[in-house]
Amino acid sequence: RSPGQMIQYLRQLILNNPEADEADSALTEMFRILRRDYYRNALGERQGFVAFLNGLQTNHADGAIGHRALRYLIVWKMLAGQDAPAISLANVALNRLSGADRMDVMSTLIYLYGRTEQFTEAQQLLTEYTAEYGSETDSNVDFLTESIADMEAMVALRIAS
């Protein structure tokens, strides 16, 4: 199958039974294919995939596929440089997700706050992240701490010049 045919097959597999484990796996494969094609958009799916993810995360908000769709939608918004919608979706995800999924979204949100120069929010969330997950993710805590400090330093340099 060509990548385009594969996307259509995966989409149909997901829509036929969104709550099945196969649907969740199909969405992961679909994301993998389309993520590689994001910038070229040779498959012409960039916008359609957003609508598809929105539908899944809205219609299956409490299911595994809805959770995965929400996480992928955050990434898609970040790729598009749409930080405000990505932040909004990440905040929704923090209330919806748990465990490792919530931890991943929280770390993404810390980064997004830094990227948008919302350093107070980034620091507050980093403190919460460290308290909640610090012992599990010391290297990630270090990375996020350094990233936020670097972003603040770059803004300070820009303002000074």
Side-chain angles (χ1 to χ4, degrees), residues 25 27 44 57 63 95 104 139:
S25 297
L27 184 57
Q57 71 94 15
N95 293 320
D104 289 344
S139 62

Side-chain angles (χ1 to χ4, degrees), residues 79-109:
L79 289 170
Q82 297 173 349
D83 291 335
I87 287 169
S88 179
L89 288 166
N91 278 304
V92 168
L94 285 182
N95 293 320
R96 227 185 256 178
L97 304 178
S98 61
D101 291 342
R102 185 174 189 281
M103 181 179 70
D104 289 344
V105 168
M106 190 179 284
S107 106
T108 299
L109 185 54

Side-chain angles (χ1 to χ4, degrees), residues 109-110 113-114 117-127:
L109 185 54
I110 292 165
Y113 279 143
E117 300 178 14
Q118 297 177 63
F119 299 118
T120 301
E121 290 85 347
Q123 289 296 341
Q124 289 172 344
L125 197 56
L126 181 56
T127 299

Side-chain angles (χ1 to χ4, degrees), residues 2-158:
S2 72
Q5 291 170 325
M6 190 65 171
I7 292 301
Q8 294 312 313
Y9 169 77
L10 294 168
R11 181 177 280 122
Q12 202 54 52
L13 184 69
I14 294 164
L15 292 174
N16 284 343
N17 190 359
E19 299 304 324
D21 290 341
E22 298 86 30
D24 192 48
S25 297
L27 184 57
T28 299
E29 180 62 16
M30 190 176 185
F31 179 80
R32 187 188 65 76
I33 294 167
L34 293 176
R35 171 60 186 94
R36 270 189 285 168
D37 185 54
Y38 182 83
Y39 291 106
R40 284 188 25 233
N41 198 29
L43 298 171
E45 289 282 347
R46 189 182 303 147
Q47 292 307 314
F49 191 51
V50 169
F52 186 68
L53 291 173
N54 267 320
L56 289 174
Q57 71 94 15
T58 299
N59 297 326
H60 305 281
D62 296 328
I65 194 112
H67 291 173
R68 186 171 305 280
L70 180 56
R71 290 175 52 219
Y72 289 164
L73 193 54
I74 295 165
V75 172
W76 218 251
K77 294 294 182 183
M78 288 175 65
L79 289 170
Q82 297 173 349
D83 291 335
I87 287 169
S88 179
L89 288 166
N91 278 304
V92 168
L94 285 182
N95 293 320
R96 227 185 256 178
L97 304 178
S98 61
D101 291 342
R102 185 174 189 281
M103 181 179 70
D104 289 344
V105 168
M106 190 179 284
S107 106
T108 299
L109 185 54
I110 292 165
Y111 177 80
L112 279 165
Y113 279 143
R115 186 161 110 168
T116 57
E117 300 178 14
Q118 297 177 63
F119 299 118
T120 301
E121 290 85 347
Q123 289 296 341
Q124 289 172 344
L125 197 56
L126 181 56
T127 299
E128 183 182 332
Y129 180 90
T130 303
E132 207 166 322
Y133 305 110
S135 60
E136 300 171 39
T137 61
D138 287 337
S139 62
N140 203 32
V141 169
D142 291 343
F143 171 77
L144 289 167
T145 302
E146 290 172 19
S147 295
I148 298 304
D150 289 346
M151 290 177 203
E152 285 181 292
M154 285 189 280
V155 168
L157 284 173
R158 186 179 72 231

